[in-house]
Amino acid sequence: MASTTDRATTTPSAEDLKLYELSQKYTEEAAKRFRADGSAQFFELQDAEAERLRTLAEDPWVDHAALNAQDSPVKDGGRYKFLVLGAGFGGMLLAVRLIEAGVASGPNDLRIIDKVGGFGGTWWSNRYPGLHCDVESYTYMPLLEETGYMPKSKYASGPELLEHAGRIATQWNLHDKGFFRAAVKSAHWDDATSLWNIQIVESRGPGEPSRALRVQAEYFLTASGVLVRPHAPNIPGLASFTGPMFHTARWDYSVTGGSPQESRLTGLEGKRVGIMGTGATAIQATPQLAKWAKELYVFQRTPSAVHYRAQRPTDPEEWKTKIAYKKGWQRERMANLNSYLTNAPIKGQENMVNDAWTEMPAFSAIVGCPKWGFIEPTPEKIGEHVAKLYRLDLPHSESGRARVDQIVKDPETAAQLKAWYPTWCKRPTFNDEYLPTFNLPNVHLVDTAGKGIDSATEQGLVVGDKEYPIDVLVLSTGYRGPVEGDGNPEAQLQVEIRGRGGRSLGEKWKTQGASTLHGVATSGFPNMFFLSPTQSCSSANFTQSLEVWIEHIVHIISKAEEKASERSHAVIDVTSEGEEGWAGVIMQHAAFFASIAGCTPGYLNGEGAFAQMPTSQEEMIKKARSGIWSSGMAAYEKFLDDYRSEGSLKGFEIATAA
């Protein structure tokens, strides 16, 4: 797609014309999926009006009897130094780095709280058949260098990832610090004591009353992840479906047969199964369902771009001599992968990961690029930038659609499985079994032409004027997105958070827009830190993001703790000038992400909300404040390194309290 200026002054090339036609096709396909209700077209399972749907959010893996028999690691009225909200890889990595920094060494220094029944986060909850990480395990699995663990394959399975969470908990003695089935309801800063007063409710299982606790903490650290609250579309009649129904994030093996370790889904033999959704989860689960169901109906609103995976076992010799062969190897490998994601391969360094992720330079449209980080916010310059991204993406997106034709035999089905949107609009998927599944006689694609399912009945699902009878319904319908509320931590956490003077964090975000320093802390909420891409940076490899954020947070805390004594504790706050200055920096990066506005609706763009023009200058500024660093993770990491090396912690105020 050529810019307006180019088309006016030169004869369009064949590529220009193709890109223009492609952009028109993308726009048409996106328009089919835009809805006025945006994210409101979904409901969170935990908040469903119908009890049947609400119970689908319950943790099926928790062992209530075992947990009830243990001494509680959190005591009502207790005081702790660090309270970490979230027991996934983010919360665990944060705990490990605090321990290694020497600031969390006492018996009451650290507690980790999570709603689910154990360590692992997304890998605790998600145990569906076919589950693997979509990023190379050598870069994704945290602390491989420190644990000395060698993953079994290039892309680790769900059970292996959950096992690794247990390995980390054991090596750093976290088991007696984890408080599970526990929901933080509120966190209020006490100006008099300079402590966080935190209200927690512990669920103890069926037939057992819940337990309310109030504790105090010097630091309130949030690491609850970005895709943790399962949702489903508001389909009329969904609760009336009489057959077994479950969400992929709460897979029910009592219905399907099998286990997380063994995908023999014998309970589906002779059954008509429907799976609703064709995103990253469904790409992995669908081939497993197809092997056992009598008939499988795959209900699709928007197809995923499905690239090759090329899974293979880890070669022990290669591991020892080429991968884990030197100190610092994992962070170096993360940076190497990220250099390809941001369209800036490191000069003189080989492509270490060398997979499909490293073949999509236009993914930089959503994670940043050091070559194009700052775009002048004029229509002409933005148009030129978006045109460059479309041109950069053309070979990759075209090859992805060609791959569908090469694999899927039925032309009509193949046409419906093609992704008509740029690489950056939805998280790419990688699977060698998904597309061939549609060549099986028992597998039926039900494409809804972007409209979604019309209604549900007691016996099945209705699309258009046709009802599809099914016996078992699998909801592969995703989660509340990370961009809701412009990344407001209070909304994301579902915790009432009040800072100095009782100010609500949600109210601050609503009034000012996103307000942080470096994306990790906000003024007026002392000793609160969070892990979030808002006003920071991000990567397709979330573990790299975690490492960068956590390194920065732990450095700030460690420097502050040097000023504390046995009788006092540190109090860290962001200055108003510091966060407003940082907001100004982030707003300078906003134009880079203009291409997201043209994306088909999905969780990355708030179900199309980014395409809506702000109604006022104030709203435009707020949207710009909620962006991320546009020069890519390497540039953001260097900025933070330079900031820490300077030593003054400019923008933070550090005091002590008794």
Side-chain angles (χ1 to χ4, degrees):
M1 184 177 68
S3 70
T4 303
T5 301
D6 288 341
R7 290 200 301 271
T9 59
T10 63
T11 301
S13 66
E15 184 182 54
D16 287 333
L17 292 173
K18 183 171 184 60
L19 284 166
Y20 181 74
E21 292 171 0
L22 188 61
S23 70
Q24 295 297 106
K25 174 69 171 176
Y26 287 169
T27 300
E28 292 169 7
E29 290 296 320
K32 294 178 183 178
R33 294 161 175 83
F34 278 115
R35 291 176 45 148
D37 50 358
S39 296
Q41 68 188 275
F42 298 97
F43 68 94
E44 292 185 35
L45 293 179
Q46 64 181 11
D47 299 327
E49 292 183 7
E51 182 180 3
R52 190 198 177 187
L53 297 175
R54 199 163 54 247
T55 59
L56 299 183
E58 295 176 357
D59 181 1
W61 313 109
V62 61
D63 187 337
H64 288 293
L67 290 173
N68 289 343
Q70 297 174 4
D71 288 336
S72 175
V74 173
K75 310 298 182 185
D76 188 26
R79 173 173 168 173
Y80 306 96
K81 188 171 184 179
F82 298 102
L83 193 147
V84 177
L85 179 55
F89 282 162
M92 299 183 80
L93 186 58
L94 182 52
V96 167
R97 297 307 187 204
L98 289 168
I99 292 169
E100 290 182 336
V103 294
S105 56
N108 288 326
D109 278 356
L110 177 65
R111 292 296 183 270
I112 306 169
I113 297 180
D114 205 303
K115 290 182 180 179
V116 301
F119 288 108
T122 190
W123 307 111
W124 173 276
S125 297
N126 285 276
R127 306 194 194 188
Y128 58 83
L131 174 62
H132 289 76
C133 58
D134 67 355
V135 174
E136 186 200 55
S137 56
Y138 315 150
T139 66
Y140 175 76
M141 294 174 73
L143 301 164
L144 288 180
E145 187 171 351
E146 292 85 346
T147 60
Y149 179 71
M150 182 188 77
K152 298 174 183 176
S153 56
K154 191 169 178 68
Y155 305 96
S157 68
E160 184 178 9
L161 292 160
L162 181 59
E163 180 184 283
H164 189 58
R167 179 179 299 108
I168 293 169
T170 297
Q171 184 161 330
W172 280 275
N173 299 313
L174 301 180
H175 287 292
D176 63 350
K177 300 172 179 64
F179 186 38
F180 302 112
R181 311 170 300 171
V184 173
K185 296 298 184 181
S186 66
H188 293 180
W189 177 259
D190 187 329
D191 289 318
T193 62
S194 294
L195 296 170
W196 284 98
N197 292 325
I198 298 171
Q199 182 180 357
I200 306 168
V201 175
E202 179 194 22
S203 299
R204 296 179 62 80
E208 293 284 337
S210 59
R211 188 166 69 105
L213 304 90
R214 293 181 182 274
V215 301
Q216 292 183 311
E218 294 177 23
Y219 292 89
F220 181 46
L221 312 176
T222 69
S224 60
V226 292
L227 297 174
V228 295
R229 286 149 52 191
H231 72 188
N234 284 304
I235 297 173
L238 184 60
S240 70
F241 178 68
T242 56
M245 174 170 52
F246 54 85
H247 194 280
T248 49
R250 309 287 189 269
W251 194 273
D252 191 345
Y253 283 101
S254 71
V255 172
T256 65
S259 69
Q261 293 75 28
E262 179 56 62
S263 297
R264 290 180 54 80
L265 310 183
T266 55
L268 300 181
E269 291 179 326
K271 301 287 179 66
R272 298 165 300 181
V273 178
I275 181 167
M276 187 189 302
T278 52
T281 293
I283 297 303
Q284 300 191 93
T286 294
Q288 307 307 316
L289 293 170
K291 294 174 183 177
W292 298 94
K294 176 184 177 182
E295 304 290 339
L296 177 63
Y297 296 90
V298 182
F299 294 87
Q300 172 181 276
R301 182 181 71 156
T302 306
S304 283
V306 186
H307 308 286
Y308 73 88
R309 163 154 282 181
Q311 172 73 298
R312 61 180 175 82
T314 301
D315 181 340
E317 185 62 25
E318 181 186 14
W319 178 262
K320 288 188 297 184
T321 60
K322 293 186 177 180
I323 300 174
Y325 69 98
K326 65 178 181 179
K327 184 177 177 62
W329 69 265
Q330 191 175 29
R331 287 291 291 267
E332 180 185 51
R333 196 174 183 91
M334 289 178 183
N336 180 271
L337 170 59
N338 184 71
S339 72
Y340 286 89
L341 297 172
T342 57
N343 191 29
I346 299 170
K347 189 175 181 179
Q349 201 174 78
E350 67 172 327
N351 184 347
M352 297 178 183
V353 175
N354 195 26
D355 67 358
W357 273 116
T358 66
E359 298 170 1
M360 49 182 75
F363 191 76
S364 58
I366 199 167
V367 294
C369 172
K371 300 176 184 177
W372 308 335
F374 290 93
I375 304 299
E376 187 178 339
T378 65
E380 180 181 4
K381 293 298 183 183
I382 290 174
E384 291 174 357
H385 170 61
V386 173
K388 283 196 294 186
L389 288 170
Y390 273 75
R391 193 179 302 277
L392 183 65
D393 186 50
L394 181 62
H396 181 262
S397 60
E398 288 285 83
S399 68
R401 288 185 284 270
R403 182 171 183 263
V404 179
D405 287 327
Q406 293 163 7
I407 295 174
V408 180
K409 296 177 181 178
D410 177 61
E412 182 179 355
T413 302
Q416 293 171 340
L417 286 168
K418 292 178 182 178
W420 292 105
Y421 49 82
T423 293
W424 58 84
C425 287
K426 287 183 175 288
R427 189 170 179 92
T429 67
F430 310 89
N431 197 283
D432 296 328
E433 296 180 83
Y434 179 74
L435 293 175
T437 296
F438 292 94
N439 293 327
L440 300 175
N442 67 321
V443 177
H444 317 282
L445 178 66
V446 183
D447 183 66
T448 67
K451 297 177 181 179
I453 294 164
D454 290 291
S455 63
T457 68
E458 292 182 357
Q459 288 81 35
L461 299 177
V462 178
V463 176
D465 58 359
K466 183 175 181 179
E467 180 177 359
Y468 295 85
I470 54 177
D471 302 307
V472 178
L473 177 56
V474 181
L475 303 176
S476 185
T477 50
Y479 306 84
R480 176 189 169 96
V483 300
E484 299 298 324
D486 292 331
N488 173 8
E490 187 173 78
Q492 294 293 326
L493 298 168
Q494 289 192 309
V495 175
E496 180 187 275
I497 302 172
R498 298 190 181 276
R500 293 190 190 273
R503 187 180 190 187
S504 160
L505 181 55
E507 181 274 332
K508 176 181 179 179
W509 228 260
K510 184 177 181 180
T511 302
Q512 296 179 206
S515 303
T516 77
L517 182 55
H518 305 156
V520 300
T522 187
S523 178
F525 295 80
N527 288 11
M528 179 183 177
F529 292 88
F530 33 81
L531 308 180
S532 168
T534 302
Q535 288 200 344
S536 60
C537 201
S538 191
S539 171
N541 179 10
F542 196 60
T543 302
Q544 183 188 24
S545 301
L546 292 174
E547 285 280 17
V548 172
W549 299 332
I550 289 170
E551 181 180 21
H552 195 51
I553 290 169
V554 172
H555 174 85
I556 294 164
I557 290 173
S558 298
K559 289 299 181 183
E561 285 296 311
E562 291 175 1
K563 297 186 177 183
S565 67
E566 291 184 5
R567 297 184 180 181
S568 67
H569 63 274
V571 178
I572 310 167
D573 202 355
V574 175
T575 66
S576 296
E577 296 79 10
E579 73 177 11
E580 285 305 303
W582 184 247
V585 171
I586 293 299
M587 285 191 286
Q588 292 176 24
H589 291 256
F592 178 90
F593 300 102
S595 63
I596 299 173
C599 283
T600 194
Y603 77 83
L604 290 175
N605 66 355
E607 296 299 332
F610 284 15
Q612 299 174 8
M613 288 299 295
T615 57
S616 66
Q617 182 72 15
E618 180 183 8
E619 289 302 312
M620 184 177 294
I621 291 172
K622 286 181 182 178
K623 279 187 176 292
R625 289 173 68 109
S626 66
I628 68 173
W629 182 275
S630 66
S631 297
M633 182 62 77
Y636 174 68
E637 190 171 4
K638 184 180 185 305
F639 171 86
L640 295 183
D641 286 343
D642 292 343
Y643 173 88
R644 293 191 294 266
S645 296
E646 190 274 334
S648 69
L649 297 185
K650 183 180 179 181
F652 286 100
E653 287 181 337
I654 299 174
T656 59

